[in-house]
Amino acid sequence: MKHIVKILTLVMAITALWVGLLQTSMIPCSHTWLLPIYFVVSLGCYGLLMVGVGLMNFPTCPQEALLLQKDIVEAKEYLKQKGVDVSSS
Amino acid sequence: MARFAQNRSLSFEAAVAHCEVFVLRHLASLEMDGHHQKQKNKYSIIVPTYNERLNIGLIVYLIFKHLGPDGTQDVVKQLQQVYGEDRILLRARPRKLGLGTAYIHGMKHASGNFVVIMDADLSHHPKYLPSFIRKQSETGADIVTGTRYVKGGGVHGWNLMRKLTSRGANVLAQTLLWPGVSDLTGSFRLYRKSVLEDIISCCVSKGYVFQMEMIVRASRKGYHIEEVPITFVDRVFGSSKLGGSEIVEYLKGLAYLLVTT
């Protein structure tokens, strides 16, 4: 099953639920009409929250850069000894 | 016995637009034997390069330092031969552009039953290759992908804007595609060769959307995917590659994947 079909099915289910609420008037009509907007805004806030949390927890590794430079120097020296020219790198 | 595949080549790839644009790419692949208790696996390493030939020597040295046998003399000798190899011209099919054709070309010359793909600018360190192989052996996975976004992984040399863009893109892709892997745009991966051939035959995107398409299609086809934490050290500090057009291309790729997978 295509992923887009799953998403559309989910959207249709939510829409059906919303229409059901409108029909039965369990919640005041004005609030029910605004539910989709609430839903979209909540999704947006959730997305921003995820980005923020991810940004705060972004793993960094400054020591890896130092280790890489050491490896590069080591490799250059080895290759130079063996006659392979990588001097421009 | 380690040996270089004599496949150093220069491939012309045509980008179909209002006019044809030729992109020059070098491709080097290495093959080495990995011994395991149950079976003898052979690993081919494909390093697509573009104006990075001087990095190849460094990468080759680091690969053999972490994986290679003791015959380093043979390695260097063949390295010299590889650099002097005559170039082979190859005209790729117009339908497949960019990295895809480099991978396909590399696969033609790869005789191992596992293929590792890594970048040539040393942002991917060969020291992670043993953990890729170990993870594959332990789990029997079809694909082992390097991820920068879990504990043990990480990046260096990224400014705040690039981190923000990366996180935003990742959250968006995770929300829309539910791919089951944490790093969609990373290109440091180990594939079974048959799996790579299967996936690459139906990928059409370019750039890093190509990497995302590869892993998403693999997930949809039900292939077993495992993750290994890696670090990504950007050697050119602070130079962000993302502009407005990149973001637009990314969103287009995301919409395409959403509709077609």
Side-chain angles (χ1 to χ4, degrees):
Chain A
M1 173 186 266
K2 291 241 185 275
H3 191 64
I4 187 67
V5 177
K6 293 180 184 175
I7 293 182
L8 289 181
T9 304
L10 184 64
V11 171
M12 287 179 61
I14 295 177
T15 305
L17 181 65
W18 177 56
V19 172
L21 287 179
L22 283 178
Q23 293 294 331
T24 59
S25 302
M26 293 173 58
I27 307 175
C29 244
S30 57
H31 283 77
T32 311
W33 276 108
L34 291 177
L35 277 181
I37 299 180
Y38 295 155
F39 183 71
V40 171
V41 172
S42 299
L43 270 187
C45 292
Y46 175 78
L48 289 181
L49 179 67
M50 285 297 104
V51 173
V53 170
L55 202 58
M56 290 302 111
N57 290 330
F58 212 113
T60 56
C61 50
Q63 69 280 1
E64 290 291 333
L66 299 179
L67 294 177
L68 177 62
Q69 291 303 322
K70 284 184 181 178
D71 280 332
I72 291 174
V73 170
E74 178 187 335
K76 283 183 180 178
E77 289 178 356
Y78 178 86
L79 294 173
K80 185 177 178 182
Q81 290 175 17
K82 301 298 179 182
V84 179
D85 180 19
V86 292
S87 55
S88 304
S89 178
Chain B
M1 174 65 182
R3 66 179 190 276
F4 288 97
Q6 298 298 319
N7 61 354
R8 190 58 197 279
S9 67
L10 182 72
S11 65
F12 287 89
E13 298 163 351
V16 178
H18 294 95
C19 64
E20 285 189 344
V21 177
F22 291 88
V23 179
L24 307 183
R25 290 185 184 269
H26 294 250
L27 188 68
S29 74
L30 309 172
E31 298 165 356
M32 60 193 70
D33 294 331
H35 294 271
H36 291 81
Q37 292 177 354
K38 296 182 177 178
Q39 57 178 351
K40 180 176 178 180
N41 284 321
K42 194 174 200 179
Y43 298 87
S44 299
I45 301 177
I46 297 177
V47 187
T49 73
Y50 181 69
N51 287 339
E52 287 163 320
R53 67 174 285 125
L54 292 175
N55 280 333
I56 290 292
L58 303 180
I59 285 187
V60 167
Y61 170 81
L62 290 174
I63 287 174
F64 280 96
K65 178 187 174 184
H66 293 280
L67 270 186
D70 296 326
T72 53
Q73 293 287 344
D74 291 337
V75 170
V76 174
K77 182 177 180 182
Q78 297 194 45
L79 178 60
Q80 290 170 326
Q81 290 178 359
V82 168
Y83 270 84
E85 192 77 12
D86 288 335
R87 293 177 171 177
I88 304 171
L89 299 182
L90 174 71
R91 181 60 174 258
R93 286 176 292 173
R95 184 176 72 87
K96 299 187 189 300
L97 306 172
L99 268 182
T101 52
Y103 288 175
I104 291 171
H105 184 68
M107 277 195 298
K108 289 177 183 175
H109 297 273
S111 60
N113 53 322
F114 287 96
V115 176
V116 178
I117 297 181
M118 59 190 296
D119 283 354
D121 59 357
L122 285 164
S123 55
H124 296 155
H125 201 297
K127 68 183 178 183
Y128 295 107
L129 291 171
S131 55
F132 275 65
I133 294 174
R134 189 181 315 118
K135 173 69 80 170
Q136 197 285 323
S137 296
E138 290 169 357
T139 63
D142 296 310
I143 298 173
V144 180
T145 180
T147 175
R148 301 159 286 184
Y149 301 137
V150 299
K151 186 176 173 60
V155 302
H156 176 72
W158 282 15
N159 55 22
L160 181 63
M161 184 53 62
R162 184 160 177 191
K163 287 180 182 177
L164 180 65
T165 308
S166 175
R167 269 305 178 197
N170 196 268
V171 166
L172 194 61
Q174 296 283 338
T175 305
L176 291 179
L177 297 177
W178 305 336
V181 291
S182 62
D183 190 345
L184 287 170
T185 54
S187 57
F188 197 2
R189 291 171 182 156
L190 179 148
Y191 299 85
R192 284 186 197 274
K193 189 178 181 184
S194 56
V195 172
L196 181 57
E197 288 168 348
D198 180 29
I199 296 169
I200 210 167
S201 63
C202 52
C203 287
V204 301
S205 301
K206 291 185 290 180
Y208 48 85
V209 180
F210 177 79
Q211 306 298 344
M212 183 163 64
E213 183 172 7
M214 293 269 283
I215 205 69
V216 170
R217 290 199 183 279
S219 175
R220 297 287 188 258
K221 286 172 177 280
Y223 288 121
H224 184 184
I225 303 173
E226 292 286 342
E227 289 183 324
V228 165
I230 60 168
T231 58
F232 181 97
V233 178
D234 201 343
R235 295 179 70 192
V236 186
F237 184 83
S239 71
S240 178
K241 309 167 187 172
L242 292 177
S245 61
E246 292 283 337
I247 294 177
V248 171
E249 286 300 318
Y250 180 81
L251 293 177
K252 283 183 181 177
L254 206 57
Y256 170 77
L257 284 179
L258 185 64
V259 173
T260 59
T261 60

